[in-house]
Amino acid sequence: MTLIILMIAGAALFAYWNAARAAAEHAKQLGRNACSAAEVLWLDESVHASGIRVRRGEDGRLGFERNFRFEYSYDGVDRHVGRMVLRGERLVSFVGPVRPSVAPINLH
């Protein structure tokens, strides 16, 4: 009986760890792509988990919402912090670099 409980606990821990790693890899890819699109430097080439909580998804089922942060620089000297929130594999919030643009002014 104890062996079965230990096996179930081990499988649950492995599943949690595996999902956390997959979310971190996905966040890493999103951060890299955002920095590339905004033409900024992605510093340290990594993301850092900054929080986790249980939330309901759009389908009503419980799941984990993971918060990640990363750092980027416009000129290689300054450092800015970007943040993203993943609910499962879905990006639900992103604050980070944007590509600078100038909107034309219509004087008519």
Side-chain angles (χ1 to χ4, degrees), residues 58-100:
E58 291 178 357
D59 59 356
R61 294 173 41 190
L62 290 176
F64 290 115
E65 181 178 272
R66 291 179 167 87
N67 300 313
F68 295 93
R69 68 176 190 81
F70 62 98
E71 295 183 346
Y72 61 96
S73 175
Y74 288 102
D75 60 7
V77 176
D78 60 346
R79 288 181 90 87
H80 301 278
V81 176
R83 300 182 188 285
M84 67 182 87
V85 178
L86 295 176
R87 194 172 296 148
E89 287 286 317
R90 197 169 139 256
L91 179 68
V92 295
S93 175
F94 182 86
V95 176
V98 293
R99 181 177 212 158

Side-chain angles (χ1 to χ4, degrees), residues 1 5 7 19 22 32 44-46 51 54 61 63 67 69 72 78 84-85 94-95 104 106-107:
M1 182 71 150
I5 293 172
M7 289 176 64
R32 180 184 310 116
D44 305 329
E45 296 188 12
S46 65
V54 177
R61 294 173 41 190
N67 300 313
R69 68 176 190 81
Y72 61 96
D78 60 346
M84 67 182 87
V85 178
F94 182 86
V95 176
N106 190 357
L107 300 175

